[in-house]
Amino acid sequence: MAAQAKSMTTDPNIEIRQARAEDLSFLPDHSVDLVVSGQAAHWFDYSKAWPEIARVVKPGGSMVFWGYKDNVLLGHSKANAIWDRYSYGEDEVAPGIESMGRHWEQPGRNKVRRLLADVVPPSEQWENVQRILYDVNADATEADTADALMFQETTLGGFESYVRTASSYVGWQQAHPELRSRVDGGPGDIVDMLMDEIVASEATWREMGESWRDAKVKTVWGSYILMAKRT
């Protein structure tokens, strides 16, 4: 990732380093105006990260953490309930087949699902703490998206492809190498099973037959922005 970032700029004022939030020893004390974390703050060990971030940020400087939770398909509550069951359900989704829930890395995933509510900047080092939250549920419609930060018009095929990028899906694949996806010539994996149920949940999608991937859908993600100013 660092190599890719370096390849995208030739600006001599930009320096790219790979490091952990818990160890910013390459930065002097009070040398940074702004610390930004994008979809990563749920992994920090805050017993170490808060002291390091406070050390490097100048008095009057700022920190901003942002990230997003699971998306929902707007106006499709049945499909969203199925999506949630396959993502986090404790019961088997088919005989002998567990959901992707146990394959999420924890406790980070639960922190994201709670929109980083558990992460509180220490009051002795940070002030003017603000949170901009957008939560979303299975019954959401387009009318509920006025404050959404992440919204997309896509297709069921696009949604299917997105699901296959989830780390929980990768973990599930590793646990079930015998269940390859149909597109790879296998009997079908958990995403194939998920999409079978989602398509079956709505008559319009069922009637599209093999063309269901072309069905237009709108999706939105819950999100958070956590901001604070260094004292």
Side-chain angles (χ1 to χ4, degrees):
M1 187 177 293
Q4 182 180 9
K6 289 178 181 178
S7 71
M8 298 174 69
T9 181
T10 57
D11 190 328
N13 295 314
I14 296 176
E15 181 178 351
I16 296 171
R17 295 206 185 197
Q18 183 172 327
R20 297 174 58 85
E22 297 83 357
D23 181 8
L24 303 175
S25 54
F26 61 93
L27 291 171
D29 294 357
H30 303 156
S31 61
V32 174
D33 293 304
L34 173 66
V35 167
V36 178
S37 169
Q39 193 66 354
H42 52 290
W43 298 123
F44 296 171
D45 176 352
Y46 283 96
S47 66
K48 299 176 181 178
W50 280 133
E52 271 294 82
I53 295 171
R55 179 185 66 79
V56 302
V57 175
K58 299 175 183 177
S62 302
M63 53 139 284
V64 179
F65 296 166
W66 73 269
Y68 56 91
K69 60 183 287 187
D70 307 279
N71 60 325
V72 300
L73 300 175
L74 295 173
H76 301 288
S77 58
K78 290 181 181 179
N80 291 327
I82 296 167
W83 171 216
D84 186 75
R85 178 164 57 86
Y86 271 76
S87 292
Y88 297 105
E90 296 182 0
D91 297 330
E92 294 181 342
V93 297
I97 305 296
E98 80 281 8
S99 78
M100 292 182 280
R102 72 179 64 174
H103 299 287
W104 289 110
E105 295 182 62
Q106 297 291 3
R109 190 63 194 178
N110 283 340
K111 289 182 180 180
V112 169
R113 296 185 77 194
R114 292 191 291 267
L115 299 178
L116 229 63
D118 303 337
V119 176
V120 181
S123 58
E124 62 272 19
Q125 298 165 332
W126 302 94
E127 61 183 4
N128 297 340
V129 177
Q130 299 180 53
R131 295 178 189 267
I132 300 175
L133 306 178
Y134 174 76
D135 209 350
V136 65
N137 59 48
D139 298 322
T141 66
E142 193 167 355
D144 302 315
T145 63
D147 297 323
L149 295 180
M150 297 177 62
F151 171 90
Q152 185 181 45
E153 295 185 10
T154 184
T155 62
L156 278 183
F159 173 76
E160 176 190 26
S161 296
Y162 176 73
V163 174
R164 293 188 188 278
T165 68
S167 62
S168 60
Y169 170 66
V170 174
W172 187 94
Q173 274 188 310
Q174 292 171 347
H176 297 278
E178 76 285 1
L179 295 177
R180 291 181 296 136
S181 66
R182 292 173 193 148
V183 72
D184 290 329
D189 62 11
I190 195 167
V191 177
D192 290 315
M193 290 184 275
L194 165 67
M195 298 310 299
D196 286 347
E197 285 201 38
I198 285 180
V199 171
S201 72
E202 298 212 12
T204 302
W205 296 341
R206 292 197 304 271
E207 292 167 1
M208 294 181 70
E210 294 300 315
S211 298
W212 62 263
R213 287 183 174 85
D214 297 328
K216 304 291 186 181
V217 292
K218 296 178 180 179
T219 187
V220 66
W221 288 257
S223 61
Y224 67 83
I225 300 176
L226 170 61
M227 300 173 285
K229 184 177 180 180
R230 184 73 167 91
T231 56

